[in-house]
Amino acid sequence: MRTLIITEFISLDGVVDSPGGGSHPRAGWTFKDVAFDLAAYEIKGREQAEATAMLLGRVSYDEFAPVWPTMADFAEYNAMPKYVVSTTLTDPEWNNTTVLRSLDDVAALKETAGGPIIVHGSARLAQGLAAAGLVDRYHLLEFPIVLGGGKRLFAEEGAQVAKLELVEHAAYSNGIRLAVYDVVR
């Protein structure tokens, strides 16, 4: 069984909305509001090196697909298989992309041979994956900022209770904290 990893930039109040850009009023809060410390992003390089597939929701796909293929920093992601959970996407243009129609399709993907599947962005997808019991690990870079509102990683209502085990943590000079949690089953 493949490991499904949710990776997020997250504010102290649990918001994951528009960390690099987007529709949130404070879009870009990861680089506009917090000093840069390269060490805090080391996990991003590890994720790209270790992942064997990427899973996205439709909105994240629409935001990443026009940009990431042009960025040398994402060469491994651009080459690996990508899966988009969508009921409306019919002809994805990003190379090596397959559309999955449901969380049942994601569960079937987890049963295939291969290494970790990384989920970037996609708050609503992350909530659905968690509710379906499909998440195995969380990689969270917590930023020292309170946004007050926006899409959250964990649903406020109807969320499934999950016990998490901290397996890695670090703190950086700019106040960012890394927390890696395994889901305990």
Side-chain angles (χ1 to χ4, degrees), residues 53-58 61 80-86 89-102 105-106 109:
M54 185 169 24
L55 179 66
L56 300 164
R58 174 63 187 265
Y61 172 82
M80 75 176 54
K82 289 163 283 301
Y83 299 90
V84 180
V85 180
S86 173
L89 183 64
T90 56
D91 190 23
E93 294 182 18
W94 196 357
N95 72 309
N96 210 8
T97 298
T98 302
V99 177
L100 303 177
R101 297 293 178 203
S102 69
D105 291 343
V106 175
L109 175 64

Side-chain angles (χ1 to χ4, degrees), residues 8-9 15-32 63 121 147 150-151:
E8 294 283 358
F9 296 128
V15 175
V16 295
D17 198 345
S18 306
S23 60
H24 188 276
R26 300 277 307 270
W29 49 269
T30 57
F31 61 88
K32 290 180 183 174
E63 291 175 358
L147 297 172
K151 297 174 188 169

Side-chain angles (χ1 to χ4, degrees), residues 68-145:
W68 281 23
T70 65
M71 300 176 75
D73 289 346
F74 298 123
E76 289 90 352
Y77 283 143
N78 288 320
M80 75 176 54
K82 289 163 283 301
Y83 299 90
V84 180
V85 180
S86 173
T87 58
T88 58
L89 183 64
T90 56
D91 190 23
E93 294 182 18
W94 196 357
N95 72 309
N96 210 8
T97 298
T98 302
V99 177
L100 303 177
R101 297 293 178 203
S102 69
L103 293 180
D104 288 338
D105 291 343
V106 175
L109 175 64
K110 280 190 64 173
E111 295 296 328
T112 63
I117 302 166
I118 196 89
V119 182
H120 278 279
S122 304
R124 193 169 81 192
L125 175 60
Q127 291 175 4
L129 293 166
L134 295 173
V135 178
D136 300 298
R137 176 173 276 192
Y138 291 93
H139 290 182
L140 305 178
L141 276 179
E142 181 186 71
F143 284 70
I145 187 168

Side-chain angles (χ1 to χ4, degrees), residues 10 12 40 140-144 169-172 174-179:
I10 189 166
L12 282 174
L140 305 178
L141 276 179
E142 181 186 71
F143 284 70
H169 62 92
Y172 304 98
N174 59 358
I176 293 175
R177 294 185 302 179
L178 167 67

